[in-house]
């Protein structure tokens, strides 16, 4: 029988560890193992199944991971999985999703014993993960530095592990890592994008002028990168403001909505929830709608004007978002 597993939840690091453990166990059991990863945004489920069916001809075993399983909802997907499940094979398929659930018809095909949910660690759990990580690298780290890391980075353990691996190359073993070291390594070297830009302008403790100045610096960094694209930047910001409008709608319907229910709508983790709670203090629902309309207008203008005025147009756009809350202006004030 073809083995099908389902790994759900936003904790990518622990999920990847579980996949690695399965790889090691299968390789030990079958002597050799072929491993492939597929993504629903680029590949069909039939591609993954074909890999499982064809590679078995060459001996050993095959483990295939299909990421983004929440996308599979069609009847054909169910038929393909049912057919694979009934085949006699030593190979295995892991379906993964960062969501808490997938289509019920797909979920039903996976045996209950093969399902796992990887939940986000508590704040204390994340802090302990970082202490353990730095200890293994023979580096000391204080509580303020840990708190700053958790504020600056995505809080799944894979992101924390990847980003914090920089420290072992920048500091000698035995070095004590403080908040200033974290600021130097992470803030000055992180890749900026539309989402870090949104985070920078979503700080209600700063006045509009400060938020605008920070936004312009980040926008300048983005425009200097090799793959800079004002269209992608606008698309990313539009995604953030649509999500902020959704945040307002959810809280208008249920002011006491909890983290569990927020996750159903894509607000994954305490860090993201805190970010949108901050942003909601700056822009109300109507202003979010105004910003989204403004972004759509500026997107059309930039496509028609060409690249010559991109930098100026982006600066003007940020002024309209941060200072004017989505109201377009004819001249810079």
């Amino acid at each position: 029988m073809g083995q099908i597993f389902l790994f759900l939840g936003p904790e990518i690091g622990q999920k990847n560890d579980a996949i690695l453990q399965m790889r090691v166990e299968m390789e030990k059991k079958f002597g050799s193992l072929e491993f492939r990863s597929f993504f629903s945004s680029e590949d069909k489920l039939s591609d993954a199944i074909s890999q499982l069916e064809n590679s078995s001809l060459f001996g050993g075993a095959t483990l295939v991971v299909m990421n983004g399983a929440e996308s599979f909802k069609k009847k054909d997907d169910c038929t393909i999985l049912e057919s694979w499940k009934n085949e006699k094979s030593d190979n295995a398929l892991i379906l993964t999703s960062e969501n808490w659930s997938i289509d019920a018809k797909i979920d039903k095909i996976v045996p209950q014993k093969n399902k796992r949910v990887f939940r986000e660690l508590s704040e204390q759990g994340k802090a302990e993960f970082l202490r353990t990580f730095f200890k293994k690298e023979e580096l000391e780290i204080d509580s303020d530095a840990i708190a700053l890391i958790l504020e600056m980075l995505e809080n799944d353990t894979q992101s924390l592990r990847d980003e914090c691996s920089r420290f072992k190359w920048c500091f000698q073993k035995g070095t004590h890592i403080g908040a200033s070291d974290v600021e130097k390594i992470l803030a000055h070297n992180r890749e900026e994008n539309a989402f870090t830009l949104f985070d920078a302008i979503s700080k209600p403790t700063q006045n509009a002028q400060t938020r605008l100045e920070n936004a312009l610096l980040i926008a300048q960094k983005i425009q200097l990168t090799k793959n800079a694209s004002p269209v992608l930047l606008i698309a990313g910001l539009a995604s953030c403001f649509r999500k902020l409008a959704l945040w307002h709608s959810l809280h208008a319907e249920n002011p006491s909505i909890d983290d569990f229910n927020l996750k159903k709508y894509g607000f994954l983790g305490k860090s993201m929830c805190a970010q949108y709670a901050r942003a909601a203090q700056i822009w109300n629902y109507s202003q979010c709608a105004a910003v989204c309309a403004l972004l759509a207008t500026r997107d059309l203008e930039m496509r028609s004007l060409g690249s010559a005025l991109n930098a100026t147009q982006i600066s003007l756009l940020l002024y309209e978002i941060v200072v004017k809350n989505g109201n377009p202006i004819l001249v810079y004030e």
Side-chain angles (χ1 to χ4, degrees), residues 206-213 322-323:
Q206 297 177 348
N207 61 37
Q209 181 178 346
T210 300
R211 290 188 290 116
L212 177 61
E213 289 173 354
V322 176
V323 178

Side-chain angles (χ1 to χ4, degrees), residues 6-10 15 68-71 73 96-102 116-118 263-266 268:
L6 178 59
F7 290 176
L8 299 172
K15 193 183 301 178
E70 69 277 2
S71 299
K73 300 176 182 179
T96 79
S97 174
E98 293 183 34
N99 294 350
W100 294 101
S101 62
I102 60 173
R116 294 183 63 180
V117 178
F118 296 85
K263 286 175 182 176
K264 294 180 181 178
Y265 293 93
L268 305 175

Side-chain angles (χ1 to χ4, degrees), residues 42-257:
E42 304 171 1
D43 308 297
K44 298 178 181 178
L45 184 57
S46 57
D47 296 330
I49 298 301
S50 294
Q51 181 70 32
L52 289 164
E53 293 173 338
N54 296 331
S55 56
S56 61
L57 300 173
F58 303 100
T62 299
L63 174 62
V64 168
V65 175
M66 172 53 84
N67 300 283
E70 69 277 2
S71 299
F72 302 125
K73 300 176 182 179
K74 298 178 181 178
K75 185 177 180 180
D76 287 349
D77 295 328
C78 296
T79 302
I80 290 171
L81 281 178
E82 286 282 12
S83 176
W84 160 248
K85 183 180 176 182
N86 293 325
E87 287 191 18
K88 185 177 180 180
S89 175
D90 292 326
N91 298 337
L93 170 68
I94 302 176
L95 301 173
T96 79
S97 174
E98 293 183 34
N99 294 350
W100 294 101
S101 62
I102 60 173
D103 187 81
K105 299 186 295 296
I106 302 292
D107 184 276
K108 189 177 180 180
I109 298 171
V110 184
Q112 189 61 41
K113 64 183 179 66
N114 290 354
K115 298 177 185 178
R116 294 183 63 180
V117 178
F118 296 85
R119 303 182 185 280
E120 184 187 19
L121 298 180
S122 65
E123 293 303 308
Q124 182 177 352
K126 294 169 192 172
E128 188 57 39
F129 170 83
L130 287 174
R131 290 190 188 93
T132 301
F133 176 87
F134 279 92
K135 185 176 181 179
K136 286 182 179 178
E137 300 298 338
E138 299 182 44
L139 295 169
E140 299 178 10
I141 187 166
D142 61 38
S143 298
D144 289 342
I146 287 176
L148 185 56
I149 289 173
L150 294 178
E151 181 181 331
M152 295 178 67
L153 299 179
E154 291 295 325
N155 283 184
D156 68 89
T157 54
Q158 187 65 49
S159 296
L160 293 173
R161 184 184 295 138
D162 291 344
E163 292 292 332
C164 290
S165 62
R166 302 181 191 180
F167 287 88
K168 67 181 179 183
W169 306 114
C170 298
F171 297 97
Q172 294 183 345
K173 292 181 179 181
T175 301
H176 180 90
I177 306 299
S180 60
D181 299 311
V182 171
E183 180 74 21
K184 180 168 59 178
I185 297 299
L186 297 184
H188 293 173
N189 293 286
R190 70 174 178 176
E191 182 179 347
E192 301 288 8
N193 53 44
F195 304 102
T196 61
L197 176 57
F198 177 74
D199 184 56
I201 63 177
S202 303
K203 299 186 184 301
T205 56
Q206 297 177 348
N207 61 37
Q209 181 178 346
T210 300
R211 290 188 290 116
L212 177 61
E213 289 173 354
N214 292 335
L216 292 173
L217 287 172
I218 292 173
Q220 186 179 43
K221 287 183 181 180
I222 294 172
Q223 290 168 53
L224 291 173
T225 61
K226 183 172 63 175
N227 299 317
S229 167
V231 173
L232 291 178
L233 179 61
I234 290 176
L237 287 174
S239 172
C240 292
F241 278 97
R242 285 195 298 268
K243 199 162 189 174
L244 180 57
L246 174 60
W247 175 277
H248 280 295
S249 296
L250 293 172
H251 284 81
E253 294 173 6
N254 180 9
S256 59
I257 187 170

